Amino acid sequence: MTTVVGVTRAALRARRAQLWRLAGWSAAEVLPAALSGLFTARAVDSGFLAGRPGVGLAWLALLGLAVLVGAAGTNRSYALLGAVVEPFRDDLLRRVVRGAVAGAAGGRADDAAVARLTHQVELVRDTYAGLLMVVRGFLFALGAAVLGLFSLAAPVALLVAVPVLAGLGLFAVALPVMVARQREYVLADEQLGRAVVTAVSGHRDVTASGARDQVTGWVGGSVDAQARVERRLATMAATRSLSLALGGWLPVPALLLAAPWLVRQGLGPGALLGALVYVTRGVQPALHSLVQGVAAGGLRFAVTLDRLLRTAAPADTDPAGSPPRTAPQRTGAALSLRGVTFRYGPHADPVLDGLDLEVPVGDHLVIVGASGIGKSTLAGLIAGVLHPQSGTVHVGGSPVGGATPGDLAERRVLIPQEAYVFTGTLRDNLGYLAPGVPDDVVDRAAARLGLTGLLTRLGGYDATLRPADLSAGERQQVALLRAWLSPAPLTILDEATCHLDPATEARLETAFAARPGTLVVIAHRVSSALRARRVLLLDGRTALLDTHQGLLDRSPAYRALVGYGETEPSDTATFWTASDGTPAARA
């Protein structure tokens, strides 16, 4: 749990300004609780019992004004809660996503990743918010009640403090057991998720093999295990009830039994009534909220966050499983792969096996091959979003493995088939890879790509874009203009024009080929190969690199892909340079 405490402290320190404002409004929120007993005592002793009802009503009117101030404090406190909680949630989600991506890239299947990304992250966010408000409310409400009791009489405050401390002590002693029970529940929930995913994904095989009863029993065992854990977790309710009885309810009979002695010490009836108000309206609700909130949301927060942190990537670091950072090894090439092997899962056939490839600065390379052959996998390896099981990938002369996201963003830009557009202004969407880019630079880039009409149609730079309102082709064109504005010298288009017509695709690819830097295109249409300087053919067993005409002359598989005839692919696995036709490396 040390990591949980450290992460929580870091999140709170990062939002100190918001927390101070929250504390200020929390003080305003508990003003009625701090004054209720005192004003009640004054209204009774100095007003109604003294035969001056007007004075009593005046004190109650002042209490009413305090209630209005408290209502304003409550309103502002909840408004400030999001400013503290949402950044914590966003940071946690980034960690979990990086960990999940790294796990997939390393070939490690993780059926619980979806549960962590959806249910568990939102659970941590909600419980963090609830725990923050519960602890805040307890500290301020209890502090207000204690100050109020001391304002009446110190013996009264001490009489109430003893059972309250006893109840809190019992709850603190039981917390470790509660944490252990909650951890068992989270693990049982993940195990049930894995069992269900496995059973559902393999339902056809289960039906075909007649293993329905065995699988039902296996999944049922996970359900029973989770039920047992929930029952054990429910037994901790008795401990919570005892803590509340000691700290919340025992002070009431203690005050009533001590009432004759307190009156003999000079405490008036109104002061005694005020003390009961502080206990029943201040101490009891505060203690009840703390015990129930920590026992429910607090335990879920600690255990679930601990589970997430064990599987997520550390903050501000690379995803777990990425190769360690090494010193840059300059190669003079825009892109270089050496002995790269990648497979999805430890027992899967390799998608790429011992791949060597070198792309010089300024090259225009198109990668072609049948659907599912590994083209997008190769794009992911080049971009650094996937990591090979063996071999090295260098972009801009430096290794991709171990590079931070910021380092990679400076060296390459990847536009996938499903282009990303977020809700925000058109200017924000176009410029987040090049912050602060002037509008006139964007104007020239749009004119060069032939997208000026698109920008006008979308409403200009200050127009708000909503992804659902854009067609797939419009989203791709926005993403392509964003990539053009990026300072990265290597551009990777992974079927980034698949939703555009051939003429628009040709115009955009031609423009990117003339852009300073290096262009790698994962071809959606074979016509892309006609515009390339070199073509890399992947066909599952061979990897050939040559010009379009060179591959037509040398590769039956390429002729079949282009549509020149059907034939068996070559059994060779040799790369050829486009310049002299000599073999360069073995794939």
Side-chain angles (χ1 to χ4, degrees), residues 11 15 36 45-46 79 82 87 111 115 149 160 230 245 289 306 318 331 336 382 418 427 444 457 460 515 558:
R15 314 304 296 179
S36 59
D45 289 338
S46 303
D111 294 328
L149 288 168
V160 172
E230 290 197 29
S289 297
D306 179 66
D318 303 312
T331 65
S336 176
I382 295 170
E418 295 303 323
R427 177 180 287 103
R444 289 194 296 271
R457 189 166 65 254
R515 177 181 182 265
Y558 187 72

Side-chain angles (χ1 to χ4, degrees), residues 435-461:
V437 59
D439 288 351
D440 60 329
V441 174
V442 182
D443 289 338
R444 289 194 296 271
R448 179 66 183 85
L449 295 176
L451 299 180
T452 302
L454 172 69
L455 302 189
T456 302
R457 189 166 65 254
L458 294 178
Y461 297 128

Side-chain angles (χ1 to χ4, degrees), residues 172-185:
V173 170
L175 265 180
V177 180
M178 295 180 184
V179 170
R181 294 285 185 268
Q182 188 65 37
R183 183 183 293 109
E184 292 176 359
Y185 170 77

Side-chain angles (χ1 to χ4, degrees), residues 204-264:
R204 292 184 179 179
D205 293 336
V206 171
T207 302
S209 60
R212 185 177 303 169
D213 292 339
Q214 293 92 321
V215 173
T216 300
W218 174 57
V219 176
S222 297
V223 174
D224 293 340
Q226 187 189 43
R228 287 193 297 270
V229 170
E230 290 197 29
R231 285 194 292 270
R232 287 197 294 268
L233 189 63
T235 60
M236 301 309 300
T239 304
R240 298 198 298 272
S241 298
L242 183 57
S243 299
L244 289 173
L246 280 175
W249 292 104
L250 187 58
V252 174
L255 280 174
L256 294 176
L257 291 173
W261 177 79
L262 292 172
V263 170
R264 288 195 299 270

